[in-house]
Amino acid sequence: MGGRHIFVVGLNEANHERLRRLRGAEHWQFHGIIEPAAVYDTEEFDIAAMLAEATAELEAFGEPIAAVVGYMDFPVSTMLPILCERFGTRTTSLESLLKCEHKYWSRRVQREVIPEHIPAFTAFDPFDERALEVIGAAGLYFPFFVKPIKSSGSKLGFRIATPEDFQAAIERLRAEIGLIADPFNTVLEHARLPPEVAEVDGGYCIAEEIIGGWQCTLEGYVFQGEPVVYGVVDSIRYPGVLSFYHYLYPSQLPQAVQDEMIGLAERVMAHIGYDNAAFNVEFFWDEVQGRIWLLEINTRISQSHCDLFEKVDGVSHQQVTVDLALGQRPDMPSRQGDYALAGKFFFRVFFRDALVTRVPHAEEIAALEADYPGAVIDVQVVAGQRLSTLPEQDSYSYALAHVWLGAADYAGLLGDYEALAARLAFEFTEIEG
């Protein structure tokens, strides 16, 4: 093991193993800071305490620190620029990161360079009794979409078709938005914000025109001012809801559409001033209207895609995160993996709430992974757990397990998943109300 010391926020054993398989890993030593449970298994984030804990641990380390990295969304993504600035390691600036993660600021910046690919939007205070009037005054009419200024996945995101929908969403937002607003505001205190953004803090929401179509994610990075997109992953949803069914890599979109999306992403990231860090950009392709919409920008690799890149390209795209943090151009291979394509599937139930009474045993999981070589199955619940206690779920369903598979073709991939899923033995007692 070599001597370059790399600290990883929220490092768990599964990711530690994957990091050890990266190109050049024989020259690196990985160390965890902040326990995984503090960023994975909770929806309560004490940013100030975590920053203090990480700072103390890094200050106490007796050797040079080569990099501080992470591969997760909030709160990890927003803490990295603060920690890297304190310890002189590489990543993008906090302000450029917030131009991506603060949804209102991000839309304003995107509109400056690609306005025809941005939906109509406005910020509003969910505690304002006239919030619906504010949204209407901005030219938004039913249906529209609302979500917090800072959110993760589809958490607290709602499609609003009627005033009754809006009132129900407002009640949820008022009750729960503080879980992310308060820690996000702690991060905002570290940044230099323009006045029009500073007044829209983490307690605000954004309303947007409904957009849709074929959804995909462009994984990329900026190295010394040069934006690069190295992979496009499709996001396939269950019919009629926002819940994801599976991710698919590489994308099945027409190449011309992918190329246009790549050009848009590179233009936006250059305009933002994002540099020396990974990103991903989510797009919709509305095939009927022949229109591309930018959905959102994330300031990290997608951890969900790590196994997909490993299966298809030969190495997890954590390679990109680590190489950039070390100040070198990413050594990311292409199509050198064992499979032509790969997917991450979400094994879901669509209950309002339920008590889990049985989950697959470890022996059952091992048998499935043996029967489907390359399969990785990660059960998300335990017996006795109430589904409503699961963190990071959307408003429509619960993901009980994540399943990664590789295959030679799409039909084979779907067939393998359906056969495997039929053997995942969960049991529940549904809870009404």
Side-chain angles (χ1 to χ4, degrees):
M1 179 68 70
R4 303 196 76 182
H5 296 285
I6 300 168
F7 282 81
V8 185
V9 179
L11 179 64
N12 61 15
E13 187 51 41
N15 280 292
H16 202 169
E17 282 216 9
R18 191 175 279 128
L19 288 166
R20 293 188 190 108
R21 297 197 292 269
L22 299 182
R23 294 179 169 193
E26 66 273 16
H27 304 299
W28 309 330
Q29 291 190 43
F30 295 102
H31 310 269
I33 47 171
I34 304 178
E35 285 299 311
V39 290
Y40 278 100
D41 302 327
T42 181
E43 293 185 335
E44 297 183 8
F45 305 113
D46 188 337
I47 297 284
M50 286 192 282
L51 285 171
E53 175 190 335
T55 297
E57 188 167 345
L58 291 167
E59 286 177 344
F61 190 68
E63 299 183 52
I65 297 168
V68 181
V69 303
Y71 37 75
M72 293 180 60
D73 197 358
F74 188 85
V76 174
S77 58
T78 46
M79 289 193 290
L80 286 174
I82 299 170
L83 291 172
C84 289
E85 183 177 26
R86 287 179 182 177
F87 292 93
T89 58
R90 299 170 189 83
T91 194
T92 197
S93 68
L94 179 59
E95 285 73 23
S96 66
L97 179 139
L98 289 172
K99 287 179 185 178
C100 305
E101 294 212 6
H102 186 298
K103 294 188 184 299
Y104 178 65
W105 196 4
S106 188
R107 283 303 194 201
R108 291 177 64 101
V109 173
Q110 295 163 27
R111 189 171 58 188
E112 291 169 1
V113 284
I114 55 168
E116 65 275 21
H117 301 282
I118 306 304
F121 67 93
T122 191
F124 70 94
D125 181 353
F127 294 92
D128 181 355
E129 294 297 335
R130 301 180 61 189
L132 196 54
E133 295 176 33
V134 171
I135 293 169
L140 284 165
Y141 308 102
F142 300 121
F144 56 85
F145 196 77
V146 300
K147 53 191 170 184
I149 284 297
K150 177 67 194 122
S151 64
S152 178
S154 299
K155 179 71 175 177
L156 292 181
F158 302 93
R159 189 181 192 277
I160 307 298
T162 66
E164 292 75 22
D165 287 347
F166 186 72
Q167 187 57 41
I170 285 294
E171 290 173 6
R172 282 279 307 277
L173 287 162
R174 288 174 177 174
E176 300 178 32
I177 196 170
L179 287 172
I180 201 163
D182 294 343
F184 189 56
N185 285 341
T186 299
V187 173
L188 295 181
E189 291 170 3
H190 290 265
R192 296 174 294 275
L193 306 174
E196 64 275 14
V197 173
E199 64 188 20
V200 180
D201 69 9
Y204 273 69
C205 294
I206 188 168
E208 295 190 343
E209 174 188 2
I210 295 289
I211 57 175
W214 185 330
Q215 186 174 351
C216 67
T217 300
L218 277 60
E219 293 279 2
Y221 61 85
V222 184
F223 176 66
Q224 296 182 358
E226 178 191 354
V228 175
V229 172
Y230 56 85
V232 182
V233 180
D234 291 335
S235 300
I236 313 299
R237 297 180 186 270
Y238 283 89
V241 295
L242 293 177
S243 306
F244 288 116
Y245 175 32
H246 65 272
Y247 302 146
L248 177 66
Y249 178 65
S251 171
Q252 306 298 295
L253 276 167
Q255 190 59 50
V257 174
Q258 295 186 48
D259 290 344
E260 185 175 357
M261 290 177 174
I262 290 169
L264 294 171
E266 291 177 346
R267 197 184 321 167
V268 168
M269 299 313 291
H271 179 68
I272 285 171
Y274 195 84
D275 203 8
N276 297 316
F279 66 84
N280 68 64
V281 185
E282 298 177 47
F283 285 97
F284 283 122
W285 176 45
D286 185 333
E287 186 176 6
V288 175
Q289 296 187 27
R291 189 165 185 177
I292 291 172
W293 297 102
L294 194 157
L295 177 58
E296 67 179 15
I297 304 169
N298 298 301
T299 57
R300 54 175 171 77
I301 64 166
S302 170
Q303 189 179 176
S304 287
H305 298 163
C306 288
D307 189 75
L308 308 185
F309 281 93
E310 195 163 26
K311 281 179 164 52
V312 175
D313 290 336
V315 70
S316 163
H317 62 327
Q318 288 165 316
Q319 185 79 49
V320 171
T321 297
V322 175
D323 282 342
L324 289 168
L326 293 173
Q328 57 202 37
R329 183 177 293 277
D331 183 20
M332 190 68 197
S334 178
R335 309 302 189 262
Q336 295 180 24
D338 295 332
Y339 301 94
L341 74 170
K344 176 187 178 179
F345 292 83
F346 297 84
F347 185 90
R348 293 186 182 275
V349 291
F350 289 83
F351 298 139
R352 185 177 297 274
D353 198 2
L355 185 71
V356 181
T357 56
R358 185 192 191 278
V359 301
H361 301 308
E363 297 79 9
E364 295 172 309
I365 296 297
L368 281 170
E369 291 179 342
D371 288 347
Y372 296 90
V376 177
I377 303 169
D378 187 8
V379 175
Q380 302 292 298
V381 295
V382 297
Q385 184 172 9
R386 188 165 174 164
L387 292 180
S388 57
T389 66
L390 282 170
E392 295 298 319
Q393 301 297 306
D394 61 35
S395 303
Y396 308 90
S397 67
Y398 300 97
L400 305 182
H402 301 156
V403 180
W404 289 265
L405 291 167
D409 56 54
Y410 191 41
L413 186 73
L414 291 177
D416 284 351
Y417 172 70
E418 290 168 2
L420 184 155
R423 293 169 56 186
L424 283 174
F426 291 89
E427 294 176 5
F428 319 90
T429 299
E430 192 164 356
I431 297 171
E432 298 297 333

